[in-house]
């Protein structure tokens, strides 16, 4: 640490190291305080947990026939809404939440303390993981109990579920942190972030049968992570026979993993290079 | 302060600034400032809005870069600040609304965990007078309570050097007095404090020395008494009679009043000068004239060009 400071009193860095709190301990503390704040914003909690269930209920009621092959519309929408929910609780919630924290001085205050920046990011990741797991759990429970959707039983499908969930959540998290620097203020954040999320949901096959969309729309959607998260989740919740109606005749899991992995790396790089602790117009 | 800190610093001034320049575009916010803050002193940076107070302090805190000059804070250049250095300073920024959903106790405990040798959070909460509010969410605190919480978060890490940026803006007089007591207590513990304010009374009450900043330059520097005292030599005597209002500036107000008493000896109330006032320039008058640049360099008690070390000793 003291190598970074050219000053004569270079011993100051080493002197305190024995007592400095560990990054792991601070990451756990940050996660806990983030979760406390998250659960106290009751409107946001209801939005993140109830929104996917409400969307499922609406789309399940509007289209109450079968997609074909004994699969109801409601069942077809489950994977898309799981993917959209992950994007909501990772990308959308962080892009807006951090923009507000940058605006109200939370970030500046933390930057003035010896807390390592990594502890802040780990705390955000911990919060997103917990809220995403809870949100998906609520959605799948409602799907099974209220909408009588058959959840998969084979372990290999749950393995696919797990890696798509983890990779999608991680990419959404780093992209959300990176994107939080785009809105000019906390107040404009949700106006900037929400339309992007909604457009992506419409073109990525969350609310429509993906293969009914025009090809040009699918071509755009293929550039973004949500399409691949939704497709990965379809491989978990739909019968294998449904592969035949996918554009490529396959779930494209390998390609999906690569695209999500690339977005994860791009997001991480953007975080490291562009993250700001104060507002852009703060000089 | 503990002895190892003193050893590390070799008794150097906690804050040493030479030729600091900071520009925003083509506007020069801070224009060639020299400033020292001595160990254990409270220095107030006083000046109107836009004078460069916050910019100067934010350079010292490590938040902003600079365009020119040497800056050393606790032996380090703040532009290359690390965690160990940050654990030795405390920062109270201008008004804040962050962390609204957490309680006083949760926040103070959380911030204490960032530091290697924090103060006891309960003691800190008590010292800022928020014991009754420890389970209150910060969004429910009044402005003054919120500011005291800011100070609690600034001092919980046991800083050697505390920055306070306009700590009492918007306070009622009672809250301001309570706040001053808090700052005096910290000074009593040996904390070095750099305070910005646009309240003269605050600078007079709290500061060992005052630096007056105007247009990005230091236009006056000295003890509050010296800043005001030099101008004390001249008083204004005011009285009113049938001819109207008289105002005379004099170095010998007592003599003038005695003379006036004789002049009015023949009146209904013998010796009473009608509407008599003897006015001394307040620190405010001195400040205003400094800021307007109407006092030339000679009449500024201690100009920024003099060696700050001698000022420290003169105190």
């Amino acid at each position: 640490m003291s190598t970074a400071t050219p000053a004569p009193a270079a011993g100051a860095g080493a002197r305190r190291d024995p007592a400095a709190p560990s990054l792991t301990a601070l990451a756990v503390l940050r996660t806990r305080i983030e979760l406390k704040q998250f659960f106290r914003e009751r409107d946001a909690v209801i939005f993140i947990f109830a929104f996917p269930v409400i969307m499922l209920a609406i789309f399940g009621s509007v289209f109450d026939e079968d997609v074909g092959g004994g699969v109801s519309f409601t069942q077809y929408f489950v994977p898309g809404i799981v993917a959209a929910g992950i994007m909501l609780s990772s990308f959308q919630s962080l892009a807006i939440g951090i923009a507000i924290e940058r605006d109200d001085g939370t970030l500046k205050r933390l930057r003035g303390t010896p807390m390592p920046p990594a502890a802040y990011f780990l705390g955000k990741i911990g919060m997103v993981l917990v809220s995403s797991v809870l949100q998906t759990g609520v959605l799948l429970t409602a799907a099974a109990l209220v909408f009588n959707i058959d959840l998969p039983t084979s372990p290999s499908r749950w393995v696919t579920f797990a890696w798509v969930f983890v990779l999608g959540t991680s990419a959404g998290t780093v992209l959300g942190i990176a994107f939080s620097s785009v809105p000019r203020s906390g107040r404009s954040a949700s106006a900037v972030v929400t339309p992007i999320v909604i457009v992506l949901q419409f073109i990525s096959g969350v609310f429509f049968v993906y293969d009914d969309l025009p090809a040009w729309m699918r071509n755009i959607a293929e550039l973004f992570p949500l399409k691949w998260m939704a497709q990965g989740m379809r491989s978990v919740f739909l019968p294998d026979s449904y592969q035949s109606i996918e554009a490529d005749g396959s779930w494209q899991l390998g390609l999906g993993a690569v695209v999500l992995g690339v977005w994860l790396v791009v997001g991480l790089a953007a975080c490291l290079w562009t993250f700001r602790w104060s507002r852009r117009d703060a000089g | 302060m503990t002895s190892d800190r003193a050893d590390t610093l070799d008794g150097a001034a906690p804050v040493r600034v030479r030729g600091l320049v900071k520009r925003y575009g083509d506007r020069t916010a801070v224009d060639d400032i020299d400033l020292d803050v001595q160990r254990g002193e409270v220095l107030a940076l006083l000046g109107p809005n836009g004078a460069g107070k916050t910019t100067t302090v934010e350079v010292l805190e490590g938040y902003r870069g600079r365009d020119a000059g040497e800056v050393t804070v606790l032996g380090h250049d703040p532009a290359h600040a690390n965690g160990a250095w940050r654990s030795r300073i405390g920062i109270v920024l201008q008004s804040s609304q962050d962390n609204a959903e957490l309680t006083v106790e949760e926040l103070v405990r959380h911030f204490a965990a960032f530091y290697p040798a924090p103060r006891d959070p309960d003691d800190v909460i008590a010292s800022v007078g928020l014991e009754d509010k420890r389970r209150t969410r910060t969004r429910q605190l009044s402005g003054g309570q919120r500011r005291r919480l800011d100070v609690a978060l600034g001092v919980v890490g046991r800083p050697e050097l505390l920055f306070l940026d306009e700590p009492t803006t918007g306070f009622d007089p009672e809250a301001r007095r309570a706040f001053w007591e808090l700052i005096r207590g910290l000074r009593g513990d040996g904390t070095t404090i750099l305070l910005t304010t646009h309240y003269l009374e605050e600078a007079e009450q709290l500061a060992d020395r005052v630096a007056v900043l105007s247009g990005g330059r230091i236009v006056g520097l000295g003890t509050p008494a010296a800043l005001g005292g030099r101008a004390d030599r001249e008083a204004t005597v005011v009285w009113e009679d049938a001819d109207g209002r008289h105002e005379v500036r004099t170095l010998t107000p007592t003599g003038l009043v005695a003379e006036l008493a004789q002049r009015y000896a023949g009146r209904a109330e013998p010796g009473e000068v009608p509407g008599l006032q003897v006015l001394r320039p307040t620190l405010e008058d001195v400040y205003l004239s400094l800021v307007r640049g109407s006092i030339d360099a000679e009449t500024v008690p201690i100009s920024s060009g003099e060696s700050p070390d001698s000022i420290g000793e003169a105190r």
Side-chain angles (χ1 to χ4, degrees):
Chain A
M1 286 173 102
S2 52
T3 52
T5 48
R15 180 167 51 85
R16 279 167 170 267
D17 277 355
S22 79
L23 180 59
T24 319
L26 288 177
V28 170
L29 273 181
R30 285 301 308 168
T31 302
R32 282 173 49 189
I33 209 101
E34 294 280 6
L35 284 169
K36 254 182 203 169
Q37 284 176 289
F38 172 77
F39 281 106
R40 285 176 190 175
E41 301 253 23
R42 210 166 299 153
D43 40 356
V45 173
I46 290 171
F47 181 67
I48 282 187
F49 288 156
F51 184 72
V53 178
I54 293 167
M55 293 314 288
L56 187 62
I58 291 172
F59 280 88
S61 314
V62 173
F63 309 99
D64 58 353
E65 66 265 43
D66 279 10
V67 190
V71 172
S72 67
F73 262 105
T74 316
Q75 180 168 357
Y76 185 86
F77 287 133
V78 167
I81 289 176
V82 168
I86 292 172
M87 191 161 171
L88 171 65
S89 59
S90 60
F91 177 79
Q92 190 171 355
S93 119
L94 287 188
I96 296 173
I98 296 176
I100 292 172
E101 288 190 339
R102 184 174 290 114
D103 216 20
D104 72 14
T106 304
L107 292 186
K108 193 173 183 184
R109 187 196 295 280
L110 288 172
R111 196 70 193 107
T113 74
M115 179 202 75
Y120 174 78
F121 298 117
L122 290 170
K124 287 290 181 200
I125 292 167
M127 178 197 78
V128 167
L129 275 180
V130 172
S131 61
S132 300
V133 166
L134 288 176
Q135 177 207 52
T136 309
V138 167
L139 176 65
L140 292 183
T141 306
L145 298 183
V146 182
F147 303 102
N148 297 312
I149 307 290
D150 293 327
L151 299 182
T153 48
S154 96
S156 72
R157 286 187 173 229
W158 286 110
V159 169
T160 306
F161 175 86
W163 74 252
V164 174
F165 180 88
V166 169
L167 202 52
T169 310
S170 311
T173 302
V174 294
L175 291 170
I177 294 171
F179 199 81
S180 72
S181 300
V182 174
R184 292 204 71 85
S185 74
R187 239 174 313 174
S188 66
S190 83
V192 174
V193 175
T194 313
I196 294 172
V197 172
I198 290 175
V199 168
L200 275 185
Q201 287 171 348
F202 275 102
I203 68 171
S204 300
V206 170
F207 300 133
F208 302 109
V209 176
Y210 181 67
D211 305 280
D212 292 351
L213 297 173
W216 65 267
M217 210 181 259
R218 293 200 308 253
N219 290 340
I220 297 173
E222 277 171 8
L223 299 174
F224 296 98
L226 184 58
K227 181 259 174 186
W228 302 99
M229 287 157 64
Q231 192 173 17
M233 288 298 174
R234 284 201 292 277
S235 84
V236 174
F237 293 96
L238 299 184
D240 273 336
S241 57
Y242 264 73
Q243 275 198 80
S244 59
I245 68 159
E246 292 287 330
D248 205 43
S250 125
W251 299 125
Q252 294 180 295
L253 289 180
L255 186 56
V258 169
V259 174
L260 290 176
V262 167
W263 274 105
L264 177 60
V265 172
V266 167
L268 262 179
C271 287
L272 291 174
W273 285 324
T274 66
F275 194 81
R276 300 180 56 96
W277 295 87
S278 53
R279 283 179 56 146
R280 238 187 306 179
D281 52 9
Chain B
M1 290 292 101
T2 54
S3 59
D4 63 327
R5 285 173 174 177
D7 293 347
T8 310
L9 290 158
D10 299 327
V15 175
R16 186 186 144 87
V17 176
R18 291 294 178 271
L20 174 63
V21 176
K22 174 68 184 175
R23 295 187 195 93
Y24 299 122
D26 47 8
R27 192 174 72 84
T28 303
V30 176
D31 188 4
D32 194 13
I33 280 183
D34 293 347
L35 187 70
D36 288 60
V37 184
Q38 306 298 334
R39 182 156 298 275
E41 86 167 327
V42 177
L43 185 129
L45 264 184
L46 190 64
N49 291 326
K53 303 189 298 288
T54 296
T55 298
T56 302
V57 170
E58 290 196 343
V59 169
L60 302 184
E61 291 164 342
Y63 282 121
R64 286 178 193 280
R66 56 185 188 266
D67 294 303
E70 271 175 59
V71 177
T72 309
V73 175
L74 298 178
H76 293 246
D77 183 340
H80 305 284
N82 63 14
W85 179 82
R86 288 187 198 284
S87 69
R88 295 166 61 201
I89 64 166
I91 297 175
V92 177
L93 296 164
Q94 283 189 25
S95 58
S96 52
Q97 294 89 40
D98 57 313
N99 291 296
E101 300 300 335
L102 297 173
T103 68
V104 168
E105 184 174 0
E106 284 166 347
L107 265 177
V108 177
R109 285 193 185 287
H110 184 64
F111 275 71
F114 297 156
Y115 294 87
R119 290 191 162 99
D120 178 51
D122 293 326
D123 291 350
V124 172
I125 291 168
S127 72
V128 300
L130 288 176
E131 285 146 307
D132 299 347
K133 301 286 176 187
R134 56 192 317 145
R135 294 189 203 292
T136 303
R137 293 196 193 176
T138 58
R139 73 158 73 251
Q140 286 151 358
L141 297 178
S142 71
Q145 290 163 347
R146 174 77 230 209
R147 219 66 190 105
R148 280 184 276 155
L149 171 62
D150 288 337
V151 173
L153 297 177
V155 303
V156 73
R158 205 186 294 276
E160 291 164 57
L161 172 63
L162 178 64
F163 295 98
L164 291 164
D165 200 357
E166 299 188 0
T168 63
T169 299
F171 277 28
D172 61 45
E174 200 182 345
R176 178 166 294 132
R177 276 173 200 286
F179 196 86
W180 290 345
E181 279 312 308
L182 175 61
I183 303 307
R184 289 192 186 105
L186 288 168
R187 181 180 183 273
D189 292 343
T191 312
T192 305
I193 298 173
L194 177 55
L195 162 92
T196 76
T197 182
H198 47 229
Y199 296 114
L200 289 133
E201 196 192 354
E202 186 156 284
E204 205 164 16
Q205 288 281 337
L206 292 179
D208 298 305
R209 286 191 304 146
V210 178
V212 181
L213 207 56
S214 179
R217 291 174 170 275
I218 291 183
V219 296
L221 177 67
T223 65
L227 272 182
R230 180 63 63 97
D232 260 358
R233 292 183 311 180
E234 196 169 82
T236 305
V237 177
V238 179
W239 75 97
E240 284 171 63
D241 61 17
D243 300 336
R245 184 180 159 97
H246 303 269
E247 225 180 283
V248 176
R249 292 180 72 161
T250 172
L251 288 168
T252 54
T254 312
L256 177 59
V257 170
E259 194 187 310
L260 288 171
Q262 288 198 331
R263 192 188 304 176
Y264 291 99
R267 289 164 55 96
E269 292 174 48
E272 276 304 308
V273 182
L276 175 69
Q277 294 180 76
V278 179
L279 303 172
R280 297 276 181 187
T282 59
L283 181 59
E284 183 162 343
D285 297 325
V286 178
Y287 162 76
L288 288 174
S289 56
L290 283 170
V291 166
R292 289 186 197 121
S294 60
I295 288 191
D296 60 73
E298 274 182 5
T299 60
V300 175
I302 301 160
S303 80
S304 57
E306 277 182 47
S307 160
D309 292 342
S310 63
I311 300 157
E313 284 156 18
R315 173 161 65 83

